């Protein structure tokens, strides 16, 4: 070992021979680097036995750790998300792959240790020097000298071609790791932290780690059970394990606690643990067991370490965010939570949210959306903290601010969609496009807010949510949600004794139920409403509305002949009142009924008048929807050129309105009229667009309808390989709808296509199922075709393979 030189010597002699045998390292003379620097040992702790659900992240990190990768990487995320496990597993794999022949160094930084155990930058350097074999008297006297020595040792290994990986686990801030970034381009630093550790002088690549996928979460629990000999609980109760994983928010730390609970008690049934964790009031406690010394461990203890580092204003915002209903929160709602008045600079209100995200307690998802979500367990933790600080936070007042802001924004958005715009200062919707986008993004939160208002007995708010949300949900074909929010509002209106609003909401509910293919149920509700109306007096407008609703329901339940009388009565009453805004929808519904009866020329007259009246009332949505029916009637009357032109105009209107569901419907209608006119290739393009658009907006029913329409049309052309995936998709999705008749058509369509491809054994069970479904729905004509086809397919299967003969069309 080199001798220690007095400090006074180097203070007067600051030159060293770079090509000779000595180097000056911040005050200490040391021999120059050896020709071949020794590799360091693998100083890593053991990697986890099971690393479930992180395949993509492992690949990404290994790619980044290859030569030429960034000098520093940070694996960031919520406490307990598995950052250390991932880093250790990747580091071990990198060693096995020979990426770091100079070895690996490891230092635990305890960045969140509240007991003073935090490892400072200087202590970290000392630890790493010790792993390099330099300790005790060999260490320079000052921190700066030791840092320089550390860098010199790494430089020596770089010159020797020995890449070194430094793993710094659990960093609490940039100051702990800034000096650990290795010099040059050979070595690399891998850091784990709950913070993103972004700073102007610490530019790193960040991998943000999220909770596990559902299958991987179950795998993590299951891996703990076989340790108990003969344990078959995972095989017996897989659904219960999936439920446990869901209650754990698929957070690895919580999953590990749950797995340990099961492993430690072989007689505990997973379903019993699932029932316990289902209770949100005790879930956090159940996932935070004390250690043998009585100290808290598990989820709550891990979150405590992050929470205790927050400034009070951030801690308060975290607590208040839990009063926001729904899975996420718009940035403007968070701004209102803080009870801020006036306007802030455009990005100022994001700052506290970004700080919480950097602390790993919040996430902007997707990035740039200004929508912020909290992990389920963090929400429980922050709620618990909020209850402890309830008086200071005034959570009730914060909840009031959130509801009033959501209603304000809802009124503003809905006014754009109805064309009744009263420009609000907040939020700045400038056109229907922005309003529609906000409604799509906020719909889950608005539905949660409607439930919250109803549960809290806020009658007027419940009514407003129901009335203003219904239009958007119905247009998006989200009939179940439309029915739910309407039923909540209807109950509130009845308690308020508001008969006019009750009638309007009843009409909405009937419409939503009809959209869910529950027309019989809707008819019963209508009959109850009629009885109530008669007891409370009546007027012509109300009578006309009731008759029109009855006619529509009769028509949709397969009784169009019975619907004609009520339709004509309703129209006579409305025309007598001289109300075009009410006459237009009546004519539209009347035209649909005439179409169902095959009276296309009469339907064209009624629907043409409906289109004109909607235009007169400046109701462009109503006008475009009436054009869909008008074009269909024109096609039925073989006036194909007029039908195509009408549906093209319908498409232009919906494109102008930026109504995604309307555009999808227009492409579907245009595709149908093009098919009828013989312009098949153009029709296929339109129908494919409609299929994609319905899928994008989540309208499963119409996605199935278009898939069937396009699949059958392609099949008629003999293009079976193109038709097959569409009909498979239709069959897969049809079972998720409430329309049994649609399911029967999907089963028949796929069975027919498989038969045309001579895949007879696969076709038989589908055709058998189709015959049963069609018998249930009373569709005798299509069932007859299904049974005939099934007999032919069975006959082909009974023949020897070499003697089969199939008389049906082309097989593609």
């Amino acid at each position: 070992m080199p001798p220690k030189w007095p400090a006074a010597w180097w203070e007067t002699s600051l030159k060293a021979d770079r090509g000779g045998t000595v180097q000056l390292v911040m005050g200490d003379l040391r021999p120059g680097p050896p020709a071949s620097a020794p590799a360091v040992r693998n100083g890593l702790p053991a990697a986890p036995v099971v690393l479930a659900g992180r395949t993509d992240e492992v690949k990404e990190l290994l790619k980044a750790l290859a030569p030429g990768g960034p000098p520093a990487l940070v694996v960031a995320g919520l406490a307990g998300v598995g950052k250390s496990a991932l880093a250790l597993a990747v580091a071990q794999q990198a060693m096995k792959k020979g990426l770091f022949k100079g070895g690996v160094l490891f230092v635990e930084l305890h960045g969140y240790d509240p007991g003073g155990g935090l490892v400072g930058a200087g202590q970290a350097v000392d630890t790493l020097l010790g792993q390099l074999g330099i300790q005790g008297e060999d260490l320079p006297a000052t921190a700066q000298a030791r840092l320089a020595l550390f860098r010199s040792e790494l430089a020596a290994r770089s010159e020797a071609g020995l890449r070194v990986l430094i793993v710094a686990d659990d960093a609490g801030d940039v100051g702990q790791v800034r000096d650990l970034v290795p010099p040059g381009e050979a070595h690399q630093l891998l850091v784990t932290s709950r913070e993103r550790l972004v700073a102007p002088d610490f530019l790193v690549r960040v991998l943000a780690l999220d909770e596990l996928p559902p299958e991987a979460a179950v795998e993590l629990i299951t891996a703990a059970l076989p340790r108990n000999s003969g344990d078959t609980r995972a095989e017996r109760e897989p659904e219960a394990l999936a439920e446990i994983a869901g209650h754990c928010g698929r957070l690895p730390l919580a999953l590990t606690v749950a797995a340990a609970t099961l492993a430690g008690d072989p007689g505990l049934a997973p379903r019993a643990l699932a029932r316990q964790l289902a209770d949100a009031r005790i879930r956090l406690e159940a996932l935070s067991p004390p250690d043998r010394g009585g100290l808290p461990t598990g989820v709550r203890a891990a979150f405590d370490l992050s929470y205790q580092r927050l400034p009070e204003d951030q801690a308060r915002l975290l607590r208040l965010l839990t009063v926001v209903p729904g899975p996420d929160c718009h940035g403007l709602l968070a701004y209102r939570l803080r009870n801020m008045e006036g306007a802030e600079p455009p990005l100022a209100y994001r700052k506290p949210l970004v700080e919480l995200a950097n602390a790993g307690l919040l996430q902007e998802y997707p990035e740039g959306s200004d929508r912020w979500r909290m992990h389920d367990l963090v929400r429980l933790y922050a709620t618990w903290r909020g209850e402890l600080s309830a008086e200071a936070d005034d959570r009730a007042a914060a909840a009031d601010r959130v509801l009033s802001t959501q209603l304000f924004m809802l009124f503003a958005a809905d006014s754009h969609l109805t064309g009744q715009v009263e420009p609000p200062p907040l939020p700045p919707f400038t056109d229907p496009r922005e309003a529609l986008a906000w409604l799509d993004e906020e719909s889950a939160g608005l539905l949660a807010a409607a439930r919250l208002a109803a549960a809290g007995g806020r009658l007027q708010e419940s009514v407003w949510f129901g009335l203003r949300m219904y239009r958007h949900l119905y247009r998006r074909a989200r009939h179940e949600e439309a029915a739910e929010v309407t039923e909540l509002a209807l109950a509130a209106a009845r308690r308020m004794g508001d008969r006019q609003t009750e009638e309007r909401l009843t009409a909405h509910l009937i419409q939503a139920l009809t959209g869910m293919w529950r027309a019989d149920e809707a008819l019963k509700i209508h009959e109850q409403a009629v009885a109530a109306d008669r007891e409370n007096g009546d007027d012509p407008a109300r009578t006309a509305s009731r008759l029109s609703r009855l006619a529509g329901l009769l028509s949709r339940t397969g009784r169009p002949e019975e619907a004609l009388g009520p339709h004509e009565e309703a129209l006579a009453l409305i025309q007598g009142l001289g109300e075009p805004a009410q006459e237009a929808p009546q004519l539209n519904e009347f035209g649909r009924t005439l179409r169902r009866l095959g009276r296309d020329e009469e339907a064209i007259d009624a629907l043409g008048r409906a289109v004109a009246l909607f235009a007169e009332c400046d109701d462009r949505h109503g006008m475009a929807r009436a054009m869909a029916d008008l074009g269909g009637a024109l096609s039925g009357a073989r006036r194909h050129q007029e039908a195509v032109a009408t549906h093209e105009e319908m498409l232009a209107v919906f494109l102008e309105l930026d109504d995604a569901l309307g555009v999808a419907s227009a492409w579907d209608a245009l595709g149908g009229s093009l098919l009828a006119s013989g312009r098949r290739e153009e029709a296929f393009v339109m129908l494919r667009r409609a299929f994609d658009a319905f899928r994008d907006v989540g309208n499963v029913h119409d996605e199935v309808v278009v898939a069937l329409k396009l699949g059958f049309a392609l099949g008629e052309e003999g293009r079976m390989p193109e038709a097959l995936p569409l009909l498979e998709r239709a069959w897969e999705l049809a079972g998720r709808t409430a329309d049994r008749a649609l399911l029967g058509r999907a089963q028949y369509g796929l069975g027919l296509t498989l038969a045309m491809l001579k895949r007879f054994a696969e076709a038989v069970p589908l055709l058998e199922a189709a015959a049963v479904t069609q018998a249930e729905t009373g569709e005798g004509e299509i069932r007859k075709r299904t049974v005939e086809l099934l007999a032919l397919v069975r006959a082909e299967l009974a023949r020897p393979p070499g003697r089969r003969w199939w008389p049906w069309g082309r097989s593609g």
Side-chain angles (χ1 to χ4, degrees), residues 135-160:
Q135 51 192 341
E137 294 182 355
D138 295 334
L139 290 173
T142 66
Q144 285 187 322
R146 293 194 292 274
L147 176 60
L149 175 59
F150 171 65
R151 290 171 174 166
S152 175
E153 291 291 333
L154 290 179
R157 283 161 176 76
S158 178
E159 291 174 11

Side-chain angles (χ1 to χ4, degrees), residues 60-74 100 163-166 181-182 184-191 203-207:
E60 183 177 345
L61 284 177
L62 285 175
K63 183 178 180 181
L65 291 175
L73 301 101
V74 173
F100 295 97
R163 295 182 75 226
V164 174
L165 174 65
I166 305 162
V181 179
E185 299 180 355
H187 313 303
Q188 288 178 285
L189 171 67
L190 177 60
V191 181
L203 301 179
V204 296
R205 182 181 299 178
V206 177
L207 172 66

Side-chain angles (χ1 to χ4, degrees), residues 627-700:
M627 284 176 175
D629 295 306
L630 176 58
L634 288 164
S635 282
R638 300 185 180 278
R639 294 161 61 174
H640 300 304
Q641 189 172 347
E642 295 173 73
V644 170
T646 300
H647 286 149
E648 286 176 338
E649 188 176 353
M650 169 193 176
L651 175 61
V653 173
F654 277 128
L655 285 170
E656 180 188 338
L657 293 171
D658 197 33
D659 185 331
L661 183 59
V663 169
S665 301
W667 277 327
D668 178 19
L670 180 56
S673 57
L674 287 167
L675 271 179
S677 66
R679 296 160 61 178
R680 300 183 73 80
E681 289 303 324
E682 295 174 75
F684 293 157
V685 172
M686 293 298 108
L687 290 174
R688 287 190 185 279
R689 289 180 181 174
F691 175 75
D692 292 338
F694 280 128
R695 181 186 57 209
D696 290 344
V697 299
N699 187 337
V700 175

Side-chain angles (χ1 to χ4, degrees), residues 210-281:
D210 211 340
E211 61 265 21
L212 293 174
E215 299 81 4
V218 173
E219 180 186 348
L220 189 60
I221 299 174
T222 304
L225 300 184
R227 298 174 187 172
N228 302 312
S229 178
D231 193 330
T232 61
R233 285 177 291 176
E235 292 76 16
R236 293 199 317 266
E237 299 185 45
E239 296 85 1
L241 292 186
E243 189 177 344
I244 290 170
H247 293 318
C248 291
R250 306 197 306 276
L251 187 72
L253 174 59
L255 293 165
T256 302
V257 173
T261 301
L262 289 170
D265 185 353
L268 178 61
R271 62 179 176 275
L273 180 58
R275 282 197 299 269
Q276 181 186 12
L277 294 177
D279 189 341
R281 295 168 300 177

